[in-house]
Amino acid sequence: MQKFIILSLLIVSILTHTACEKALDVTPPGEFAPGNVLTTEKGIRSVLFSSYAGIQNPTPSRYLINNAEVTTDVGYNTGGAENLTLVQLINFTWDASLGTLQADVWAPTYRAIRDANIVLENIGNVNTSDANRKTYAAEARFLRAYGYDLLYRWFGTVPLRTSSTSEALLARATDEEMKSFLETELTAAIADLPEPGKEEAFARANKGAAWSVLAKFYLNTRQWQKAADACQQVIGLGYYQLFPAYQDLFRVENEGNKEMIMVHPCRNQDGFGNWYSAGALPPGFKTSAQIPAYVWTASMANFATQYRMRSAFTNTFDTINDQRSILLLRHYINNANNWVNLLSTPDNVRSLKYWDNATVGNHSGNDVPIIRYADILLSRAEALNEVNGPTQEALDLINQVRKRAGIVNLTLAEATSKEITRDLILRERAWEFYSEGLRREDLLRHDKFISLAKARGITAAADKHKLFPIPQTEIDANPACKQNPDY
């Protein structure tokens, strides 16, 4: 796919720099002229792949993970240049000028949306089969909808740009407009997307991914019955399953397994690498008895920044039985062959979920999950509990995840009320999805994001801090995009 991404950047440059073309009075020749590029299958696929690149860009996955976790009871950070950004998120002192909001979330997502719009506007003129036109259009609709879902979770309502020629000054949509758009677009995309496993390549959109994004949208907007039903659609596809061993689920060797519904694809290559482990490694890490197969080499980076996990979270694990705790590094051997106990310092356990012996510099090859099948099982359990209270069906879904982790089943003797079961599910989600960037949205959905921040001594305001501010650069460029008055 790399060659298509490179070509797409050239195409986008041609399509967007019209002012320069007019000044130079140059018409792009041959196949790269916009009128030619966007009528060929190769050209439209290149723009479609550019949209995928904006959504799946792996390197900022560490920001998408950290930004969503250091604001919660799970993640923490010290040291290095990144701490200048992350400490603002830890302390809830961020504002609209915080660069990561623009560079790592807003800008790449809107680029993906722009490219999806270009595909949808030109797909009818492409010289290819009707089946291909339908598939490419469905993929573009899915990518555009997922992009807006991501922006909605981070910033709330945003300008809905559904055309490549949208007005520069465009106000934020209303909440109802955002919700209606997301539901309509995802539902429409499902019909023409391939069945899971039938897509052209792993990480391309399929019905399972679209149903899953729709299910999570319903869940996060507390449309409980719709969430339960959409999760059942994913389960009913009969394709997805839990990977047998949690500690091996994220290994490069096991990529493309049937638990991974949607991922950020990564490679051991500049521009495509997963950088998370380079920041999570403790100083001088060499190896550990917890993960003996992983051995640091001089070709691997070990950042000055330190991605750490909060003790209040890691101390909740059953470290004897819960297989998920294996990837939480508590002790190691350093390069001087000394044994180091990370538990001797508070908030210092490290997540090595994405370790890779073939790491080159910063670049590990582990895909970063966006949605896993375990998420669908726990999401349906949560939605069913909100509709009906605790039931054996909901517990059976939770217990599928717990069985894989190696811990005992929950029973109705423990899940005695809707409120207690809700807390049990939230706890299970923390154990299952650490270092995957889901904790912030989970706490927001459970109305615990602000209260837990206050419990950590943070000055947090419900009206201000539940959403991130729209980046100041966007406000400057588009004054019609009204800002939260608290910022």
Side-chain angles (χ1 to χ4, degrees):
M1 186 178 290
Q2 184 185 8
K3 63 180 180 181
F4 292 114
I5 293 171
I6 293 170
L7 176 59
S8 71
L9 295 177
L10 176 58
I11 294 167
V12 168
S13 176
I14 292 168
L15 294 174
T16 57
H17 288 76
T18 55
C20 293
E21 292 171 5
K22 184 175 181 180
L24 295 172
D25 195 25
V26 172
T27 300
E31 64 175 317
F32 291 109
N36 293 337
V37 166
L38 298 178
T39 61
T40 67
E41 185 165 5
K42 182 177 180 181
I44 208 71
R45 283 167 60 90
S46 295
V47 181
L48 179 65
F49 292 163
S50 181
S51 185
Y52 272 106
I55 291 298
Q56 297 178 343
N57 190 349
T59 300
S61 62
R62 75 188 195 277
Y63 295 112
L64 293 171
I65 293 168
N66 284 324
N67 291 357
E69 291 198 350
V70 301
T71 54
T72 75
D73 56 341
V74 168
Y76 192 59
N77 173 262
T78 56
E82 284 185 46
N83 185 249
L84 298 173
T85 291
L86 294 177
V87 73
Q88 297 177 63
L89 295 165
I90 291 168
N91 294 328
F92 282 49
T93 57
W94 66 75
D95 61 27
S97 68
L98 188 64
T100 184
L101 300 178
Q102 168 72 18
D104 303 310
V105 186
W106 186 278
T109 305
Y110 265 110
R111 286 196 295 269
I113 290 167
R114 174 205 60 199
D115 293 338
N117 284 335
I118 292 172
V119 171
L120 290 168
E121 289 163 356
N122 292 276
I123 192 65
N125 300 320
V126 174
N127 183 20
T128 187
S129 68
D130 288 342
N132 283 346
R133 275 192 289 269
K134 287 182 178 180
T135 300
Y136 298 153
E139 288 182 85
R141 293 185 85 169
F142 168 77
L143 291 168
R144 182 173 67 177
Y146 175 75
Y148 277 121
D149 179 60
L150 176 64
L151 292 168
Y152 185 57
R153 281 181 278 135
W154 283 68
F155 303 103
T157 60
V158 297
L160 274 175
R161 299 188 180 278
T162 57
S163 167
S164 63
T165 58
S166 294
E167 294 181 9
L169 302 183
L170 187 64
R172 294 163 73 169
T174 66
D175 195 63
E176 284 307 309
E177 286 170 340
M178 289 291 298
K179 290 178 180 177
S180 177
F181 178 83
L182 288 169
E183 182 175 29
T184 300
E185 287 294 291
L186 288 167
T187 302
I190 288 168
D192 290 324
L193 287 172
E195 297 289 330
K198 302 297 185 182
E199 64 273 20
E200 186 176 325
F202 178 70
R204 293 278 292 273
N206 60 36
K207 292 183 189 297
W211 273 118
S212 297
V213 171
L214 186 59
K216 292 301 301 291
F217 162 70
Y218 285 143
L219 191 77
N220 285 324
T221 53
R222 300 173 183 172
Q223 300 181 66
W224 304 118
Q225 188 60 59
K226 286 185 175 181
D229 292 345
C231 288
Q232 186 57 44
Q233 289 285 346
V234 181
I235 295 168
L237 291 169
Y239 178 83
Y240 298 107
Q241 59 191 38
L242 295 178
F243 190 78
Y246 186 88
Q247 62 268 35
D248 295 328
L249 170 60
F250 309 94
R251 296 281 299 275
V252 174
E253 295 86 345
N254 297 321
E255 286 178 357
N257 66 72
K258 291 186 177 182
E259 182 163 347
M260 297 297 188
I261 298 175
M262 189 174 174
V263 302
H264 292 280
C266 301
R267 297 203 300 268
N268 309 101
Q269 183 178 346
D270 189 16
F272 299 92
N274 177 351
W275 287 19
Y276 188 86
S277 286
L281 287 173
F285 175 88
K286 181 179 178 182
T287 189
S288 172
Q290 281 185 242
I291 312 173
Y294 180 43
V295 179
W296 189 87
T297 67
S299 66
M300 301 175 182
N302 187 330
F303 288 170
T305 195
Q306 301 290 289
Y307 305 158
R308 297 158 64 165
M309 310 299 286
R310 293 186 182 274
S311 299
F313 163 63
T314 57
N315 289 345
T316 65
F317 273 88
D318 174 354
T319 56
I320 296 175
N321 298 304
D322 196 330
Q323 298 299 300
R324 296 171 295 196
S325 72
I326 292 173
L327 299 177
L328 289 168
L329 188 71
R330 297 179 295 278
H331 46 76
Y332 68 102
I333 302 296
N334 67 16
N335 288 325
N337 291 320
N338 296 318
W339 186 82
V340 181
N341 180 15
L342 290 169
L343 295 173
S344 63
T345 302
D347 303 327
N348 203 28
V349 168
R350 309 305 176 91
S351 168
L352 290 190
K353 213 167 209 180
Y354 306 114
W355 67 269
D356 176 13
N357 277 330
T359 296
V360 178
N362 310 330
H363 312 296
S364 298
N366 317 71
D367 292 348
V368 177
I370 298 173
I371 302 179
R372 294 195 274 118
Y373 187 56
D375 195 352
I376 296 301
L377 296 175
L378 293 179
S379 293
R380 178 165 166 82
E382 181 177 332
L384 289 175
N385 180 63
E386 295 298 331
V387 173
N388 301 315
T391 62
Q392 189 59 53
E393 180 185 1
L395 293 187
D396 288 345
L397 292 163
I398 299 167
N399 288 334
Q400 289 185 55
V401 177
R402 291 173 66 87
K403 181 179 179 181
R404 193 262 300 274
I407 55 178
V408 299
N409 285 346
L410 287 177
T411 68
L412 288 171
E414 299 164 276
T416 54
S417 69
K418 180 185 291 187
E419 293 72 24
I420 288 173
T421 307
R422 182 186 297 144
D423 287 342
L424 290 171
I425 292 170
L426 182 62
R427 182 185 67 176
E428 199 69 46
R429 290 185 65 87
W431 291 338
E432 181 71 21
F433 302 118
Y434 67 86
S435 304
E436 296 180 45
L438 298 184
R439 188 60 172 173
R440 174 180 168 271
E441 67 186 62
D442 287 348
L443 292 182
L444 285 167
R445 188 175 65 253
H446 285 252
D447 284 327
K448 293 191 174 185
F449 183 69
I450 299 298
S451 61
L452 287 176
K454 289 180 176 179
R456 298 192 301 273
I458 301 298
T459 302
D463 292 338
K464 178 179 181 180
H465 290 121
K466 285 185 177 180
L467 294 171
F468 291 117
I470 289 178
Q472 189 60 49
T473 50
E474 175 63 18
I475 299 298
D476 293 343
N478 178 18
C481 184
K482 296 178 182 179
Q483 180 60 294
N484 183 332
D486 290 322
Y487 281 104

